[in-house]
Amino acid sequence: MKKIILAAAAILSLASASQAQETVRIATEGAYAPWNFLDDAGKPAGFEIELGNAICEKAALTCEFIINDWDSIIPNLLAGNYDVIMAGMSITDERLETIDFTQNYFPPDPSKFVATAGEAIDPSALEGKRVGVQGGTIQAAYAQENLAGNNTVVSFGTADQAMADLAAGNLDTILADAAYLEPVVTASGGTLEFVGEDILIGDGVGAGVRKDEAELKGKFDTAITALKADGTLDTLIAKWFEGRGPYFAE
């Protein structure tokens, strides 16, 4: 009998160890530099990949990144196909109706309009224009609510696709995150420029989790708090977003 009890205890111990080492799957888009993208070897890279690895190391978690298209990234989280979203996703009241978020790891970022240099575009008085957005973003929601009445709002699967259509002359302007647009405008050599005033939408960028994952959310929150306090998060922001921060270190 004693041997049976010991054997059962060993099995339970192995099961517990297996659960403790279960891999946390982090979904990212892989098409939104410098937040996340695929490097020359086709592997996830960028700010959120480095941050995700730092969070998992701080929380003593084994993690892996999974690439998922933006338009299905929340449905696949809810379906259990992965455990966390880190994809430049802003925290909004609408999204909080469906999923939960960690504390933000990037403060609220202005949204900006960009257009071909020299075009007479006034975002405060747009009429009859074609406005490009990435579908399912806070900018898409803003454009539908505030611009669709007098303009055509065109949604794209990725932000890069919208930029390509602007370059081809098929759009008059694009509305997107400043952190995404700034390096694009800089790299354009003067062919693109910002127009109009900045728009502040959302409560910053955080990691999305299912509402029944309070323990996992707590581990991520604790790790993010530590990375803010020791300066790691500000260092990563400065590395990937030129001229940004510091935001968090005391």
Side-chain angles (χ1 to χ4, degrees):
M1 178 64 71
K2 185 176 181 180
K3 290 182 178 180
I4 293 174
I5 294 173
L6 289 172
I11 292 171
L12 288 172
S13 177
L14 287 171
S16 297
S18 175
Q19 291 174 358
Q21 295 173 7
E22 183 176 356
T23 298
V24 175
R25 301 158 299 170
I26 303 174
T28 196
E29 183 186 8
Y32 201 58
W35 296 90
N36 57 81
F37 58 92
L38 299 182
D39 64 17
D40 292 339
K43 296 181 179 180
F47 167 67
E48 286 172 309
I49 280 65
E50 288 201 20
L51 175 59
N53 287 330
I55 290 171
C56 291
E57 181 178 356
K58 186 72 72 173
L61 296 170
T62 299
C63 296
E64 67 176 10
F65 279 89
I66 295 171
I67 301 300
N68 194 97
D69 289 344
W70 173 259
D71 61 359
S72 63
I73 205 163
I74 289 180
N76 276 327
L77 173 71
L78 297 176
N81 293 329
Y82 34 76
D83 310 297
V84 180
I85 296 172
M86 292 185 69
M89 182 174 284
S90 295
I91 302 165
T92 66
D93 290 340
E94 182 180 5
R95 288 172 180 153
L96 283 168
E97 294 177 2
T98 305
I99 64 174
D100 208 347
F101 282 91
T102 64
Q103 62 179 291
N104 71 45
Y105 51 74
F106 198 96
D109 189 45
S111 296
K112 290 177 175 285
F113 288 93
V114 68
T116 302
E119 295 292 330
I121 301 294
D122 180 4
S124 67
L126 287 179
E127 187 169 351
K129 303 298 184 183
R130 290 176 62 82
V131 181
V133 293
Q134 182 178 11
T137 62
I138 54 176
Q139 292 82 19
Y142 176 90
Q144 285 295 337
E145 183 176 349
N146 297 281
L147 304 174
N150 298 318
N151 303 278
T152 301
V153 177
V154 185
S155 293
F156 295 85
T158 70
D160 288 347
Q161 290 170 350
M163 292 303 307
D165 247 31
L166 179 65
N170 298 325
L171 298 173
D172 297 293
T173 185
I174 285 174
L175 180 63
D177 288 326
Y180 165 77
L181 288 175
E182 285 169 357
V184 175
V185 171
T186 299
S188 75
T191 61
L192 298 175
E193 64 182 7
F194 290 115
V195 294
E197 300 295 325
D198 294 351
I199 302 168
L200 199 60
I201 316 169
D203 296 317
V205 174
V209 296
R210 289 183 293 276
K211 287 186 174 291
D212 60 355
E213 292 285 359
E215 182 178 356
L216 180 59
K217 176 183 178 297
K219 290 179 179 179
F220 265 62
D221 272 328
T222 298
I224 293 169
T225 296
L227 294 172
K228 286 179 176 179
D230 68 14
T232 299
L233 186 47
D234 280 328
T235 298
L236 289 175
I237 289 173
K239 173 182 176 179
W240 289 102
F241 302 93
E242 184 176 355
R244 296 299 188 95
Y247 296 118
F248 301 113
E250 298 178 356

